[in-house]
Amino acid sequence: MDVGNENSDFLKLINVKGNIENITPHKIAVVAFIREYGLLKIEANKMIDCTVAPKYRKDFCMLALKLIQCPDMEFKELEALLTDGRYNLLSVHLQNFCVRLQNIYVNGVSALTDCVTSTIDKLMIESNPCIMARYSVLGLYLRRILLHLDRLTFVQVVSLYKSFCLYYQRGRPGQMIRSLSKEKLNNLDSQNNTSPIIPDESKPLELSMKMNIVDRDNSFDEGQWSRKQAELFTAQQANLLQINEKKAMPPRQLQKTIIQIINDIPAYPDIHFLSFLNCIRTKEFSGAQDSLYNYFDRTIFNSSASNSCDRTKNFRYAALNRAAMHTHFGHKSVAMEAVREALARAQEAVDYSCLMGAAAWGALAGGRARRAALLNRSPRVPAPPAAIAAAPAPTAHNTHTSPSTTPSCPRHTAAAAQLLAQHIAVNGAKPSYIFQVIMRGDSINYLHSMTDLTMAGLANTAALWALYGKTEMASVACQLLLDLNTKCTVGSASVWHWTEASATGAAGAVACAAWRGAGPLAAALASHLRCPRTRAVATRYHASLALFAGKWEEAEQSIRQLASSDRWESQLLKAEMYYLKGDATEALESLCDVLDFCKTEDDSLHFVSLRVKALILMSQVQNSFSNIQSTNIMILNEALWLAKLYHLHYLAATAEMHLANVQLNMGCAKNALTLARKALPVIMADGSAYDMARAMLLYTKCRIATAPPCGEARLQVLQSCCEALEFVKKNFSKVGAHVRLLQTWYLQAQLHHDMGNHAARNQSAWMYRQLELQNSVEPSNMLIVMY
């Protein structure tokens, strides 16, 4: 039996409430606001050379459009909006508006219905020429309100009036009400011959006593949502969740509003997709799964009654979004099942867009082998953006991409370039080819003004430069990303894009500042660009500073904090802490854990650099606590081979520096000098303040070891080494490496003694003593052999 015939009666039932406009007190107030402005224009037209000023006309139109589209607001909020000065409104307009609401409040149901019906008559029929066109935005709104008001029963109209009275009561006293002249209100009361106004305290009680015959099912809520209001709210919040999550409503408040819309409009399916995005935002799997199923259940029911083609399209996109959800939560086996289903349905329907999206999520969920197979088969497979990329926007036309939609092809090609660049980078491709692929994708992004992919391209470029150790180029890419003009308009406000790519650029900028030893700049950037990634970078920087200064408790606390965001980076720092404390056993255990992870988890985007760093640190531990130097050289050669194989230039230079240090300790000073001289330019160009200082210190030691035994040539070398040590001390001071700074002062005092410069020697010895008294850190014997 066809699904459409089976559920047609059910669809008729669930669509009844969704097709009816909810008449609320807020909408009655908006009608009164429009009415009084129209009457003012009629009076102005009757007078000679009298018109409403353009600024008042413009602000009225903008405010009326906002009141029509925005969700219902309380009367206090409406008062604040009209009187806070954001809009230029005529004072007589506000006065007449308040009098009209007072008239409805005092004179009952007849005044409420007359406000709506007479507005149509006066503004569209009786006035010549018409003040308001029947097919204008305001004309359509007023006619729709009148149409649905005529459909209400008498009991429902009475209930609407009761809700209006409560709505009006809760807004008094307000700034706008207090601005009315007493004479105008008194004139209104005398003209209508009504009894005095009932005090605020007794009015709600009297109304409830008079209207207790009204059935609860027919009562009107004060803040019901209409279909068009819900559609605008859904589109705006979904857009904000994609481009700038910080500007969207808080998760708890957004979910509360979503529940209200679901209660008011049960047949509106897109609100369930917004709930799905909100659950993804808070990493709530159960709620995300329920919302996704509810969305496609309702969409499939609605489409199955009209078109079987739309129903099959919903089926394959339901599988695609299920694959995206499970991949996002790390359920790779379940995600692959959904990917296979989406691929099969997309191939059957010849849906190129769905096919490429399924291939992308299959590449992410299937690991390295699956990704390589898909990229070799279809090099134009798209990479999803950072947030839940395959998840479509929560509107029907955006959710279901047609196979014949041509604008999606450039997007697929540009996104495929990003995924391809990431994949071949971690598999050791040449950097020139990788950046050529990224440039192809960037040219498409710029040509078609795809802001999100442009930002993702710059973030990937910065990450690749950082992977290869070119920190200056990475810093430039991060600055370009943060300086990119990504402003767009959502509703009536301007919003900047802030996605995962922006967070990557912010974290990169903070990391580059910390890398160069600019602590105040890094702290200022981290406080200005507040996001989880920048906080993780700042935590790592604090841990490194504590390790340099020998503050073990502070370092351990920062390492624990970092473990929640980057487990293996914190594990490396923990191994380094144990090494500096002199606990070789704990350091080697931590490093073995990292290396075991790298052997089993080869699909990580940073596993190669992590493995090289772990090998270098392991060689350093063994060099300090073992007399067998052959093992250290084998480990360093393995690290150097891996770094060169994957084009990790900076890590390769670091490994060479460690090899030079081992050779220097073994007595091969000339070989050490040659190797250090080869690696020094790379370290000085892109190294951190700490790495530059220790590299220059090692190079100075090699020069001292290979200096002539006596004569003027030796004095020249020693003098040059003393000048180089000034650079070393400056950079060690930047990062607070007091132990290494003590070692530098000690070496400089020895050099001055060898040259016979006793004054400079005494000065260096005195500085050494002062630094030793200021910092209660004892120099370690490891300084003799560590790089």
Side-chain angles (χ1 to χ4, degrees):
M1 183 180 293
D2 189 8
V3 179
N5 297 330
E6 201 174 271
N7 299 282
S8 58
D9 295 335
F10 171 73
L11 292 173
K12 292 178 181 178
L13 291 175
I14 66 174
N15 284 329
V16 170
K17 189 175 180 180
N19 293 330
I20 296 179
E21 181 76 24
N22 295 322
I23 308 298
T24 61
H26 171 77
K27 293 183 175 62
I28 298 298
V30 173
V31 171
F33 182 75
I34 297 172
R35 167 197 169 94
E36 297 308 324
Y37 178 80
L39 295 180
L40 279 178
K41 286 198 67 176
I42 292 176
E43 294 179 4
N45 291 339
K46 291 179 181 179
M47 300 175 65
I48 301 175
D49 297 333
C50 182
T51 58
V52 179
K55 65 176 182 179
Y56 296 112
R57 295 200 304 268
K58 174 187 174 182
D59 281 16
F60 166 77
C61 293
M62 297 300 295
L63 178 58
L65 183 62
K66 176 181 177 65
L67 292 175
I68 290 173
Q69 293 180 335
C70 73
D72 290 358
M73 58 180 69
E74 296 182 358
F75 190 51
K76 289 181 180 179
E77 299 176 5
L78 181 60
E79 285 180 335
L81 182 64
L82 297 179
T83 57
D84 62 3
R86 278 183 284 178
Y87 297 93
N88 294 308
L89 300 174
L90 292 168
S91 58
V92 63
H93 179 202
L94 294 181
Q95 288 181 350
N96 293 342
F97 170 63
C98 293
V99 171
R100 179 58 52 191
L101 296 183
Q102 181 78 13
N103 184 24
I104 297 174
Y105 175 73
V106 172
N107 292 330
V109 175
S110 60
L112 187 147
T113 56
D114 179 69
C115 176
V116 179
T117 55
S118 63
T119 300
I120 303 293
D121 296 338
K122 293 181 180 296
L123 303 185
M124 297 185 188
I125 300 175
E126 297 178 0
S127 59
N128 189 17
C130 292
I131 296 299
M132 197 169 296
R134 295 170 58 85
Y135 296 103
S136 64
V137 175
L138 298 182
L140 290 172
Y141 178 77
L142 294 175
R143 290 163 59 199
R144 190 171 74 246
I145 295 295
L146 177 62
L147 175 65
H148 291 292
L149 184 64
D150 288 341
R151 293 181 178 178
L152 299 181
T153 63
F154 176 74
V155 175
Q156 290 175 324
V157 174
V158 173
S159 179
L160 174 61
Y161 174 69
K162 172 186 175 182
S163 298
F164 178 84
C165 291
L166 296 176
Y167 165 81
Y168 182 75
Q169 279 274 341
R170 291 176 182 175
R172 296 183 64 202
Q175 181 180 357
M176 188 168 54
I177 299 296
R178 291 195 301 269
S179 66
L180 293 177
S181 61
K182 295 182 179 179
E183 292 79 7
K184 200 170 186 67
L185 289 176
N186 292 334
N187 292 337
L188 174 69
D189 295 339
S190 61
Q191 290 174 4
N192 293 328
N193 294 323
T194 59
S195 58
I197 300 174
I198 301 175
D200 294 351
E201 293 78 6
S202 59
K203 189 70 176 178
L205 178 61
E206 181 177 341
L207 285 172
S208 60
M209 291 174 61
K210 288 182 179 180
M211 300 179 184
N212 56 5
I213 60 173
V214 179
D215 192 349
R216 180 178 299 177
D217 293 338
N218 294 325
S219 63
F220 283 78
D221 296 330
E222 295 180 40
Q224 289 180 318
W225 287 77
S226 67
R227 180 67 176 246
K228 293 187 177 297
Q229 288 175 340
E231 288 176 354
L232 177 64
F233 174 81
T234 304
Q236 288 181 346
Q237 290 300 315
N239 193 15
L240 288 174
L241 287 177
Q242 291 179 356
I243 66 174
N244 194 335
E245 188 178 304
K246 295 180 180 180
K247 297 297 182 180
M249 291 177 65
R252 187 184 297 273
Q253 183 181 355
L254 179 57
Q255 197 63 30
K256 182 179 179 181
T257 306
I258 288 172
I259 294 174
Q260 292 176 354
I261 297 176
I262 292 175
N263 292 333
D264 290 343
I265 316 174
Y268 180 51
D270 292 352
I271 194 63
H272 293 280
F273 199 91
L274 181 60
S275 176
F276 165 69
L277 293 178
N278 194 38
C279 292
I280 289 289
R281 174 190 184 187
T282 57
K283 295 179 172 54
E284 182 189 350
F285 172 71
S286 179
Q289 182 173 253
D290 292 342
S291 298
L292 184 65
Y293 289 171
N294 283 327
Y295 168 73
F296 279 104
D297 285 346
R298 285 161 175 77
T299 310
I300 289 171
F301 275 134
N302 290 336
S303 62
S304 62
S306 59
N307 193 345
S308 60
C309 181
D310 291 338
R311 185 177 69 228
T312 58
K313 183 183 292 186
N314 280 304
F315 281 137
R316 60 179 176 268
Y317 277 94
L320 177 62
N321 281 272
R322 192 164 66 91
M325 178 186 66
H326 285 294
T327 305
H328 182 77
F329 285 102
H331 310 154
K332 294 187 176 181
S333 59
V334 184
M336 285 306 300
E337 295 178 3
V339 165
R340 285 190 285 269
E341 180 183 354
L343 285 173
R345 291 183 177 275
Q347 289 174 349
E348 182 181 354
V350 198
D351 189 342
Y352 178 78
S353 178
C354 183
L355 187 68
M356 294 296 99
W361 287 107
L364 291 178
R368 173 186 287 192
R370 177 68 177 170
R371 181 161 58 247
L374 287 168
L375 288 172
N376 290 333
R377 186 186 308 171
S378 178
R380 304 181 73 183
V381 57
I388 185 80
T395 54
H397 61 279
N398 286 336
T399 304
H400 304 140
T401 307
S402 173
S404 60
T405 306
T406 55
S408 63
C409 295
R411 185 175 185 85
H412 289 162
T413 306
Q418 302 296 332
L419 182 59
L420 182 61
Q422 292 178 8
H423 176 73
I424 61 180
V426 298
N427 284 277
K430 289 184 178 180
S432 57
Y433 174 65
I434 295 173
F435 286 110
Q436 185 180 3
V437 172
I438 288 185
M439 287 181 61
R440 290 176 184 173
D442 287 343
S443 62
I444 300 175
N445 296 335
Y446 300 145
L447 182 63
H448 296 275
S449 300
M450 294 183 287
T451 305
D452 55 341
L453 290 183
T454 300
M455 297 171 68
L458 286 172
N460 277 333
T461 302
L464 286 171
W465 281 123
L467 178 67
Y468 297 133
K470 307 298 182 182
T471 54
E472 287 300 323
M473 294 302 298
S475 177
V476 169
C478 291
Q479 292 176 45
L480 287 174
L481 174 57
L482 295 176
D483 196 50
L484 193 64
N485 185 6
T486 61
K487 184 182 290 187
C488 63
T489 302
V490 179
S492 59
S494 296
V495 179
W496 292 84
H497 279 70
W498 185 264
T499 59
E500 288 292 324
S502 305
T504 302
V510 175
C512 288
W515 183 256
R516 289 300 190 185
L521 177 59
L525 287 173
S527 62
H528 181 68
L529 304 170
R530 285 176 291 181
C531 64
R533 291 198 177 188
T534 56
R535 285 195 292 270
V537 171
T539 303
R540 192 199 184 287
Y541 177 59
H542 291 152
S544 299
L545 291 181
L547 289 178
F548 295 153
K551 300 177 181 178
W552 313 125
E553 294 182 359
E554 185 178 338
E556 188 173 3
Q557 183 179 1
S558 298
I559 289 170
R560 257 195 234 106
Q561 293 177 0
L562 182 63
S564 60
S565 58
D566 195 339
R567 174 186 175 186
W568 300 109
E569 189 68 28
S570 68
Q571 194 80 352
L572 274 181
L573 287 174
K574 184 189 294 185
E576 186 176 358
M577 180 184 67
Y578 287 134
Y579 163 61
L580 294 176
K581 289 173 66 176
D583 192 345
T585 304
E586 292 292 339
L588 290 175
E589 286 183 1
S590 300
L591 291 173
C592 288
D593 291 340
V594 175
L595 291 175
D596 289 342
F597 164 76
C598 293
K599 291 177 182 178
T600 56
E601 190 68 25
D602 63 347
D603 191 47
S604 174
L605 292 179
H606 63 283
F607 83 99
V608 179
S609 60
L610 186 70
R611 183 179 175 186
V612 173
K613 291 177 184 177
L615 288 173
I616 291 175
L617 187 55
M618 178 173 283
S619 72
Q620 199 168 2
V621 174
Q622 294 192 357
N623 185 33
S624 300
F625 296 100
S626 175
N627 295 324
I628 305 175
Q629 299 299 334
S630 58
T631 306
N632 304 335
I633 294 177
M634 290 176 60
I635 294 175
L636 286 173
N637 282 331
E638 182 183 357
L640 182 60
W641 171 75
L642 277 173
K644 289 185 176 180
L645 178 65
Y646 287 92
H647 308 284
L648 309 180
H649 305 294
Y650 184 77
L651 289 179
T654 304
E656 289 175 342
M657 277 293 185
H658 280 275
L659 278 170
N661 185 51
V662 173
Q663 290 178 346
L664 179 63
N665 294 330
M666 292 174 62
C668 305
K670 291 185 178 180
N671 293 337
L673 178 63
T674 302
L675 198 55
R677 186 174 290 159
K678 174 186 174 184
L680 188 62
V682 178
I683 301 293
M684 299 302 291
D686 298 299
S688 65
Y690 181 75
D691 285 350
M692 285 192 294
R694 63 176 182 168
M696 183 59 71
L697 180 60
L698 176 62
Y699 179 66
T700 303
K701 289 180 181 180
C702 293
R703 289 186 65 193
I704 296 172
T706 57
C710 59
E712 186 66 24
R714 178 176 177 81
L715 291 177
Q716 290 179 358
V717 172
L718 295 183
Q719 182 63 35
S720 176
C721 290
C722 285
E723 295 174 359
L725 289 179
E726 294 296 330
F727 174 82
V728 175
K729 291 186 296 184
K730 178 182 176 181
N731 282 277
F732 278 147
S733 299
K734 279 185 180 180
V735 296
H738 304 301
V739 179
R740 304 303 295 267
L741 190 58
L742 282 171
Q743 179 195 21
T744 308
W745 279 112
Y746 181 79
L747 180 60
Q748 193 174 40
Q750 282 187 331
L751 291 179
H752 286 304
H753 178 75
D754 291 343
M755 289 188 298
N757 191 349
H758 299 293
R761 179 199 62 185
N762 294 338
Q763 178 68 22
S764 298
W766 183 82
M767 290 298 299
Y768 175 91
R769 182 58 178 167
Q770 293 298 316
L771 185 62
E772 188 179 29
L773 292 175
Q774 292 174 5
N775 302 278
S776 58
V777 178
E778 296 183 1
S780 173
N781 293 329
M782 291 187 300
L783 293 178
I784 301 174
V785 293
M786 69 182 296
Y787 159 62

Short mmCIF file of all heavy atoms in Angstrom, two decimals, residues 405-438:
data_model
loop_
_atom_site.label_atom_id
_atom_site.label_comp_id
_atom_site.label_asym_id
_atom_site.label_seq_id
_atom_site.Cartn_x
_atom_site.Cartn_y
_atom_site.Cartn_z
N THR A 405 21.18 21.18 -9.69
CA THR A 405 21.61 22.48 -9.18
C THR A 405 23.07 22.71 -9.54
O THR A 405 23.96 22.08 -8.98
CB THR A 405 21.42 22.54 -7.66
OG1 THR A 405 20.07 22.21 -7.37
CG2 THR A 405 21.72 23.92 -7.15
N THR A 406 23.34 23.61 -10.43
CA THR A 406 24.72 23.83 -10.88
C THR A 406 25.59 24.56 -9.88
O THR A 406 26.79 24.30 -9.83
CB THR A 406 24.71 24.61 -12.22
OG1 THR A 406 23.95 25.82 -12.04
CG2 THR A 406 24.08 23.78 -13.30
N PRO A 407 25.08 25.50 -9.01
CA PRO A 407 26.00 26.18 -8.10
C PRO A 407 26.68 25.26 -7.10
O PRO A 407 27.68 25.64 -6.51
CB PRO A 407 25.08 27.18 -7.38
CG PRO A 407 23.96 27.41 -8.31
CD PRO A 407 23.75 26.10 -8.99
N SER A 408 26.16 24.04 -6.89
CA SER A 408 26.78 23.15 -5.91
C SER A 408 28.08 22.54 -6.44
O SER A 408 28.90 22.10 -5.67
CB SER A 408 25.81 22.03 -5.52
OG SER A 408 25.51 21.24 -6.65
N CYS A 409 28.25 22.49 -7.78
CA CYS A 409 29.45 21.87 -8.33
C CYS A 409 30.72 22.62 -7.96
O CYS A 409 31.69 21.99 -7.54
CB CYS A 409 29.31 21.74 -9.85
SG CYS A 409 27.98 20.61 -10.34
N PRO A 410 30.79 23.95 -8.10
CA PRO A 410 32.01 24.64 -7.64
C PRO A 410 32.27 24.44 -6.15
O PRO A 410 33.42 24.33 -5.74
CB PRO A 410 31.72 26.11 -7.97
CG PRO A 410 30.70 26.07 -9.02
CD PRO A 410 29.86 24.87 -8.75
N ARG A 411 31.22 24.39 -5.37
CA ARG A 411 31.40 24.19 -3.93
C ARG A 411 31.99 22.81 -3.67
O ARG A 411 32.87 22.65 -2.82
CB ARG A 411 30.07 24.37 -3.21
CG ARG A 411 30.20 24.29 -1.71
CD ARG A 411 28.88 24.60 -1.03
NE ARG A 411 29.06 24.65 0.41
CZ ARG A 411 29.46 25.72 1.08
NH1 ARG A 411 29.72 26.83 0.44
NH2 ARG A 411 29.60 25.68 2.39
N HIS A 412 31.49 21.80 -4.37
CA HIS A 412 32.04 20.46 -4.21
C HIS A 412 33.51 20.41 -4.60
O HIS A 412 34.33 19.79 -3.91
CB HIS A 412 31.24 19.47 -5.07
CG HIS A 412 29.86 19.21 -4.55
ND1 HIS A 412 28.87 18.67 -5.32
CD2 HIS A 412 29.32 19.42 -3.33
CE1 HIS A 412 27.77 18.55 -4.60
NE2 HIS A 412 28.02 19.01 -3.40
N THR A 413 33.85 21.07 -5.70
CA THR A 413 35.23 21.04 -6.16
C THR A 413 36.16 21.73 -5.17
O THR A 413 37.25 21.24 -4.85
CB THR A 413 35.33 21.72 -7.54
OG1 THR A 413 34.40 21.10 -8.43
CG2 THR A 413 36.73 21.58 -8.10
N ALA A 414 35.73 22.90 -4.66
CA ALA A 414 36.56 23.64 -3.71
C ALA A 414 36.72 22.89 -2.40
O ALA A 414 37.81 22.84 -1.81
CB ALA A 414 35.96 25.02 -3.46
N ALA A 415 35.61 22.28 -1.94
CA ALA A 415 35.70 21.53 -0.69
C ALA A 415 36.53 20.27 -0.86
O ALA A 415 37.24 19.84 0.06
CB ALA A 415 34.30 21.17 -0.20
N ALA A 416 36.47 19.66 -2.05
CA ALA A 416 37.27 18.47 -2.31
C ALA A 416 38.76 18.79 -2.24
O ALA A 416 39.56 17.97 -1.80
CB ALA A 416 36.92 17.89 -3.68
N ALA A 417 39.12 20.00 -2.69
CA ALA A 417 40.53 20.40 -2.63
C ALA A 417 41.03 20.44 -1.19
O ALA A 417 42.17 20.05 -0.91
CB ALA A 417 40.71 21.76 -3.30
N GLN A 418 40.19 20.88 -0.27
CA GLN A 418 40.61 20.93 1.13
C GLN A 418 40.83 19.54 1.70
O GLN A 418 41.83 19.27 2.37
CB GLN A 418 39.54 21.68 1.96
CG GLN A 418 39.24 23.09 1.49
CD GLN A 418 40.43 24.00 1.63
OE1 GLN A 418 41.28 23.81 2.49
NE2 GLN A 418 40.52 25.01 0.75
N LEU A 419 39.89 18.64 1.44
CA LEU A 419 40.03 17.27 1.95
C LEU A 419 41.22 16.56 1.31
O LEU A 419 41.96 15.84 1.98
CB LEU A 419 38.74 16.49 1.69
CG LEU A 419 38.71 15.05 2.22
CD1 LEU A 419 38.92 15.01 3.72
CD2 LEU A 419 37.41 14.37 1.85
N LEU A 420 41.39 16.78 0.02
CA LEU A 420 42.52 16.15 -0.68
C LEU A 420 43.85 16.67 -0.13
O LEU A 420 44.79 15.89 0.08
CB LEU A 420 42.42 16.42 -2.18
CG LEU A 420 43.50 15.79 -3.07
CD1 LEU A 420 43.47 14.27 -2.96
CD2 LEU A 420 43.31 16.22 -4.52
N ALA A 421 43.93 17.97 0.13
CA ALA A 421 45.17 18.54 0.67
C ALA A 421 45.48 17.97 2.06
O ALA A 421 46.63 17.63 2.36
CB ALA A 421 45.06 20.06 0.73
N GLN A 422 44.47 17.84 2.90
CA GLN A 422 44.69 17.26 4.22
C GLN A 422 45.17 15.81 4.11
O GLN A 422 46.08 15.38 4.82
CB GLN A 422 43.40 17.32 5.05
CG GLN A 422 42.98 18.72 5.44
CD GLN A 422 41.68 18.72 6.22
OE1 GLN A 422 41.17 17.67 6.59
NE2 GLN A 422 41.13 19.90 6.45
N HIS A 423 44.54 15.07 3.23
CA HIS A 423 44.87 13.65 3.11
C HIS A 423 46.29 13.44 2.60
O HIS A 423 47.06 12.66 3.17
CB HIS A 423 43.87 12.97 2.17
CG HIS A 423 44.18 11.53 1.90
ND1 HIS A 423 43.98 10.55 2.84
CD2 HIS A 423 44.68 10.91 0.81
CE1 HIS A 423 44.35 9.39 2.35
NE2 HIS A 423 44.78 9.58 1.12
N ILE A 424 46.67 14.14 1.54
CA ILE A 424 48.00 13.91 0.98
C ILE A 424 49.09 14.52 1.86
O ILE A 424 50.24 14.09 1.81
CB ILE A 424 48.10 14.45 -0.47
CG1 ILE A 424 47.84 15.96 -0.51
CG2 ILE A 424 47.13 13.72 -1.37
CD1 ILE A 424 47.92 16.56 -1.91
N ALA A 425 48.73 15.53 2.69
CA ALA A 425 49.74 16.12 3.58
C ALA A 425 50.17 15.12 4.64
O ALA A 425 51.36 15.00 4.95
CB ALA A 425 49.19 17.38 4.24
N VAL A 426 49.20 14.38 5.21
CA VAL A 426 49.56 13.41 6.25
C VAL A 426 50.10 12.12 5.65
O VAL A 426 50.49 11.21 6.39
CB VAL A 426 48.35 13.09 7.15
CG1 VAL A 426 47.88 14.33 7.86
CG2 VAL A 426 47.21 12.47 6.36
N ASN A 427 50.13 12.03 4.32
CA ASN A 427 50.70 10.86 3.68
C ASN A 427 52.01 11.18 2.96
O ASN A 427 52.47 10.40 2.12
CB ASN A 427 49.70 10.27 2.68
CG ASN A 427 48.60 9.49 3.37
OD1 ASN A 427 48.76 8.33 3.72
ND2 ASN A 427 47.46 10.15 3.60
N GLY A 428 52.60 12.32 3.28
CA GLY A 428 53.96 12.59 2.82
C GLY A 428 54.08 13.14 1.42
O GLY A 428 55.15 12.99 0.81
N ALA A 429 53.04 13.78 0.87
CA ALA A 429 53.17 14.37 -0.46
C ALA A 429 54.07 15.60 -0.41
O ALA A 429 54.32 16.17 0.66
CB ALA A 429 51.79 14.74 -1.00
N LYS A 430 54.54 16.02 -1.57
CA LYS A 430 55.41 17.19 -1.62
C LYS A 430 54.62 18.44 -1.28
O LYS A 430 53.49 18.62 -1.75
CB LYS A 430 56.01 17.33 -3.03
CG LYS A 430 57.05 16.27 -3.36
CD LYS A 430 57.66 16.53 -4.72
CE LYS A 430 58.74 15.48 -5.03
NZ LYS A 430 59.36 15.74 -6.35
N PRO A 431 55.18 19.33 -0.45
CA PRO A 431 54.46 20.56 -0.09
C PRO A 431 54.07 21.40 -1.30
O PRO A 431 53.01 22.04 -1.29
CB PRO A 431 55.45 21.30 0.80
CG PRO A 431 56.31 20.22 1.37
CD PRO A 431 56.44 19.19 0.30
N SER A 432 54.90 21.42 -2.34
CA SER A 432 54.57 22.22 -3.52
C SER A 432 53.27 21.75 -4.16
O SER A 432 52.41 22.56 -4.56
CB SER A 432 55.71 22.16 -4.54
OG SER A 432 55.96 20.80 -4.91
N TYR A 433 53.08 20.44 -4.25
CA TYR A 433 51.85 19.89 -4.83
C TYR A 433 50.66 20.17 -3.91
O TYR A 433 49.56 20.49 -4.38
CB TYR A 433 52.01 18.40 -5.06
CG TYR A 433 50.74 17.73 -5.52
CD1 TYR A 433 50.15 18.04 -6.75
CD2 TYR A 433 50.10 16.78 -4.72
CE1 TYR A 433 49.00 17.43 -7.17
CE2 TYR A 433 48.94 16.16 -5.13
CZ TYR A 433 48.38 16.49 -6.35
OH TYR A 433 47.22 15.89 -6.76
N ILE A 434 50.87 20.08 -2.59
CA ILE A 434 49.77 20.30 -1.65
C ILE A 434 49.27 21.74 -1.74
O ILE A 434 48.06 22.00 -1.83
CB ILE A 434 50.24 19.99 -0.21
CG1 ILE A 434 50.57 18.51 -0.08
CG2 ILE A 434 49.18 20.38 0.81
CD1 ILE A 434 51.22 18.14 1.23
N PHE A 435 50.19 22.70 -1.77
CA PHE A 435 49.77 24.10 -1.85
C PHE A 435 49.20 24.43 -3.23
O PHE A 435 48.37 25.34 -3.36
CB PHE A 435 50.94 25.02 -1.51
CG PHE A 435 51.27 25.05 -0.05
CD1 PHE A 435 52.43 24.47 0.43
CD2 PHE A 435 50.40 25.64 0.85
CE1 PHE A 435 52.72 24.48 1.78
CE2 PHE A 435 50.69 25.66 2.20
CZ PHE A 435 51.85 25.08 2.68
N GLN A 436 49.60 23.70 -4.23
CA GLN A 436 48.99 23.88 -5.54
C GLN A 436 47.52 23.45 -5.52
O GLN A 436 46.64 24.12 -6.08
CB GLN A 436 49.76 23.07 -6.59
CG GLN A 436 49.27 23.29 -8.01
CD GLN A 436 50.06 22.46 -9.02
OE1 GLN A 436 50.93 21.69 -8.64
NE2 GLN A 436 49.76 22.63 -10.29
N VAL A 437 47.23 22.34 -4.82
CA VAL A 437 45.84 21.89 -4.68
C VAL A 437 45.02 22.91 -3.91
O VAL A 437 43.88 23.23 -4.27
CB VAL A 437 45.81 20.52 -3.98
CG1 VAL A 437 44.39 20.11 -3.63
CG2 VAL A 437 46.46 19.46 -4.87
N ILE A 438 45.60 23.45 -2.82
CA ILE A 438 44.87 24.44 -2.02
C ILE A 438 44.61 25.71 -2.83
O ILE A 438 43.53 26.32 -2.73
CB ILE A 438 45.65 24.75 -0.74
CG1 ILE A 438 45.58 23.56 0.22
CG2 ILE A 438 45.12 25.99 -0.05
CD1 ILE A 438 46.22 23.80 1.55
#
